[in-house]
Structures are given as structure tokens and as C-alpha cells.
Amino acid sequence: MSIKGLLLGSAAALVAVSGARAADAIVVVEPEPVEYVRVCDVYGTGFYYIPGTETCLKASGYLRFQYNVAGSPVTNSEGDDYQALSAVRARINLDVREETDLGTLRAYFRIQAQNNGASVEDEFAMIRGFLQLGGFLAGYRDTLWSSDVAGIEDGLPTDDDLPVGDINTNQVSYTFTTGGFAATLGLEDDGTGDIAPDVHGKLTYTDGWGGVFLSAVYDETFNREDLGRLTSFFPLVPTRDIDGSNDAFALKAGLTLKDVLTQSSVLKVDGHWASDPTSYAIISGFTTAGGLIPSNPTLDNPTPGSFPLVLEWSVGAGYSQKFNKLTAGLSGRYGETFDYLFIDTASPTGFSSSSAEYWAVVGDIGYDLTKNMNVLAEVKYQNIDFGGIASSDQTSGFLRFQRNF
């Protein structure tokens, strides 16, 4: 056999053997692809797609430790003319959104628990819970009178923003927006059990420089219970209109200016007027130490831990400035209460009435210790003067450490 034939035969044999082994080879099955959590940047930072859906979810919240001090006229259990106690709050927010043919579909809820001093720990409770579809909103949250539903929130630029009528309610509303303009009409459950709700309207305009708003509310019924528990300093609730009606109408307007004076600055001015006493004209007056970290204000208890003052009118202004990791703010409010009744033995009726001048100043300083961890110190002074009948003042404040996530 020639060398050429021998080589060709050997090659054929090798091909045959290789083909037989290939027929017996084990094929490795590729693993199923893993769907990792994807970032959802449609609604801002912190959102992620829920795997297998086009729904975006954001979880956030904080853990807060706060030490509160409130001066006279409050007293502690040992008879001292001040109160001091610590408080811890844990808060969790969940925000779920997706796009539909009718606009953005959203569900949002907030739960939190807190204790005060040596008190038993509170259970977690719903502080907010609402749904939105386009401009429609229904659920439980801060009243339209004081919320950011229409693009701008009232209150002054300090932690205690000296808000008027800052309460939570069950509500439905619709907001129409075009450009920077928004108009909202809402109905809120007043808790009386009748069919008539409180009616709200709000107009806003926002732009890069800040924004303006005008709010109006018709309070269908104002109840004695709306003032919560009273102290001996104010023995009776404000008198109502002489015709005996118990409804009220109120207006509030505000202006916000950003980065106008300097970079990273906020200037706010606002004011309100009410025709009669109403829950939407209530502000926190003298406070206990626990009232410095109020939780879930409602129509039944609009100022948890503090005495409720009903202001006929007020004006407020505040300014905050951020310097790198440091933020400083200063706010103030001045107004006049409705008439309060006082026991007066010299009067033929046994009572006399008087309104009061109210003013308050708040200053705070905050510092970012690191990312998502900050410390805040705040001091508040308020003065209430019923002329020759009664007058008093109070200084309060707190030191807070907070970890955000």
C-alpha cells in the first residue's frame, strides 16, 4: 500500500471515530436569564421597577431621635415649671406609580410609630394613604388647605413652619394643570356624619423662581370638639357669630421665592383670614414637651400635645439659607385670635370676652453629619396677650438626630 493510501485511510478512520463520539456528547443547557431589578428614572431618584411589571416602587423614610424642652406655663410631674423628655419616631413611605392611558396611576401610604419619654411605644398607624389617577385624588392626607397637592405647600421655611389649619382629612379632589398653572377643587369629610362636606378650592402658579397660591375653604360645621382638650388658661372656646351659625369661610395666600437673594435660599410670605372660628384657622399655641413632635393632627385633635389657638387673621414670613452642609432658618407669625370667653365675677353675665394678640418666632440650625444623617436644633418663642384679662409667653425647643433612607 502506498504512503498516500495509508494516509487517506487513517484520515477516514479518524473522522469516523470523531463522528461516533460527537453523537454521544452531552449538551449543556443554558440557564434561564435572570431579570435583575431595573432602575426606574421616570419619576425621579429612588424608584425601581417591580420585576415582571412596568410598575415603579420607591421605599423611603427615617428614624428620628429627639430631645424636647418646653417652658412655663407647662409643668412636669415633680412640680417644676418646665417639661423635658425624649421621643423616638420611625417612619416608612411607599410610593407606587405607573403610566396608563388616563395618566399616572399612583398609590402612596405612610406609616409611623413614636413614643414620648417613658410612655408605652405606640403601634404603627397610617399617617397618609391615598391614590391618584391623573388629576384625581382620593384618600387620607393633609388637607388641601395646607398641602402641596397643587404644586406648592404653605408654611414657613423652618421645621416648625407655624402652619395655620395643618390637619389630615379623608378627601377627594381633582387638579387641572397647564404649564405652571394649577387649579384644584376638593371635598373633605368633616367627621360630623351628615352628607355635607367641607369644600376647598386652590389656585397655584409655580416656576423656577418659586410660586404663589390662593386657597379658599368653606367649613360646613365647626364643633366644640374641634378644639380638643382645653387648659385653664383658656377656659371656654371662642364665641361664634351672633346669628348662631356655626359655619365659616376662610382664605389663605402665599408667595415662595427661591434663590432670589442668594443661591440656595428660600423666602416665604403668607397670610390668612377667617370669617368665623374654624378648624382651618387653628395654630398650635402653648405646648407640652410631647407637642414638639406632633403626630397625625386631625379635625378632632388638630394640635396634638399643644393648646389650639383659633386665629381670625395672621401674616407670616420666613427665610432659610443653605451653606454647604449647614442650613439656617428664621420664621415669624403675627395675628389676632377670635374672642375667647373668660369667667368674670364683676360682669352681670359672669363672663367677659376678649381677643388676643399672638406672635411667634422660630429659629433653627441644621447640619448634615454625613449622607442621609443630620442633626437639627430649634428654638421657638411665642406670646399671647388678652389685654388686661390674661397674658403669657413660652419658650420651647428641641435637639434632633435623624437617619434618612
Side-chain angles (χ1 to χ4, degrees):
M1 179 181 293
S2 65
I3 295 177
K4 181 178 180 181
L6 180 61
L7 291 175
L8 289 175
S10 299
L14 288 173
V15 169
V17 172
S18 298
R21 290 183 177 177
D24 297 335
I26 298 175
V27 178
V28 178
V29 179
E30 292 292 332
E32 291 292 332
V34 177
E35 183 177 0
Y36 294 98
V37 176
R38 296 176 295 149
V39 173
C40 174
D41 56 5
V42 178
Y43 308 109
T45 60
F47 283 90
Y48 295 88
Y49 285 102
I50 298 175
T53 73
E54 294 301 316
T55 301
C56 298
L57 171 67
K58 178 179 181 178
S60 62
Y62 62 71
L63 191 288
R64 172 187 295 177
F65 174 86
Q66 187 166 306
Y67 192 77
N68 308 312
V69 178
S72 176
V74 300
T75 59
N76 59 31
S77 59
E78 297 182 354
D80 303 314
D81 58 353
Y82 71 91
Q83 289 182 2
L85 57 80
S86 59
V88 176
R89 172 185 290 178
R91 171 179 291 183
I92 300 174
N93 308 311
L94 288 181
D95 193 349
V96 185
R97 307 189 199 186
E98 63 183 287
E99 292 304 307
T100 73
D101 294 337
L102 299 177
T104 302
L105 175 61
R106 183 189 187 195
Y108 182 95
F109 73 87
R110 170 181 295 169
I111 58 174
Q112 73 180 32
Q114 72 180 48
N115 65 5
N116 286 307
S119 66
V120 178
E121 292 185 6
D122 293 339
E123 295 181 354
F124 275 90
M126 181 185 69
I127 306 301
R128 287 186 182 179
F130 62 88
L131 59 86
Q132 288 178 280
L133 179 59
F136 174 76
L137 181 148
Y140 179 74
R141 61 162 296 160
D142 42 343
T143 171
L144 179 63
W145 173 254
S146 63
S147 73
D148 60 351
V149 169
I152 183 172
E153 190 169 9
D154 79 336
L156 303 174
T158 42
D159 186 77
D160 184 341
D161 54 354
L162 301 174
V164 177
D166 188 14
I167 53 180
N168 296 335
T169 64
N170 284 350
Q171 60 190 265
V172 294
S173 67
Y174 185 82
T175 300
F176 170 78
T177 60
T178 176
F181 174 80
T184 305
L185 181 65
L187 304 175
E188 298 189 358
D189 189 345
D190 62 5
T192 61
D194 66 2
I195 196 172
D198 294 341
V199 182
H200 292 256
K202 190 170 188 178
L203 299 174
T204 70
Y205 181 79
T206 56
D207 205 342
W209 52 265
V212 293
F213 75 87
L214 174 65
S215 293
V217 59
Y218 173 73
D219 186 353
E220 183 263 339
T221 302
F222 177 76
N223 296 312
R224 183 180 294 267
E225 291 78 11
D226 290 340
L227 287 176
R229 300 182 62 184
L230 304 181
T231 68
S232 58
F233 185 74
F234 304 115
L236 296 174
V237 302
T239 56
R240 296 189 176 123
D241 210 355
I242 57 175
D243 64 2
S245 65
N246 59 359
D247 57 356
F249 176 76
L251 290 171
K252 178 162 55 174
L255 168 68
T256 298
L257 299 176
K258 299 179 180 179
D259 302 331
V260 173
L261 301 180
T262 61
Q263 287 294 319
S264 302
S265 68
V266 177
L267 174 65
K268 282 190 171 186
V269 180
D270 69 13
H272 93 281
W273 168 84
S275 65
D276 294 278
T278 168
S279 301
Y280 301 100
I282 290 177
I283 193 170
S284 294
F286 295 152
T287 182
T288 62
L292 293 171
I293 184 170
S295 178
N296 200 18
T298 64
L299 283 168
D300 290 334
N301 188 12
T303 57
S306 302
F307 180 82
L309 278 176
V310 189
L311 299 180
E312 182 176 4
W313 63 267
S314 75
V315 292
Y319 179 80
S320 70
Q321 178 71 58
K322 187 171 181 60
F323 308 92
N324 196 9
K325 293 185 176 183
L326 181 71
T327 302
L330 180 66
S331 298
R333 186 173 297 281
Y334 176 82
E336 184 176 347
T337 71
F338 285 94
D339 286 343
Y340 277 74
L341 290 178
F342 291 85
I343 298 174
D344 185 358
T345 56
S347 172
T349 63
F351 298 95
S352 61
S353 64
S354 175
S355 62
E357 288 187 341
Y358 165 85
W359 63 276
V361 178
V362 177
D364 59 24
I365 297 178
Y367 185 77
D368 297 329
L369 296 175
T370 185
K371 183 179 180 181
N372 297 323
M373 176 71 179
N374 58 66
V375 58
L376 177 70
E378 182 171 273
V379 176
K380 176 181 181 180
Y381 175 82
Q382 53 185 329
N383 184 288
I384 305 170
D385 187 356
F386 282 91
I389 298 178
S391 64
S392 189
D393 60 358
Q394 184 186 45
T395 302
S396 58
F398 64 79
L399 177 64
R400 172 190 300 167
F401 296 89
Q402 182 169 307
R403 200 285 191 214
N404 306 304
F405 64 89

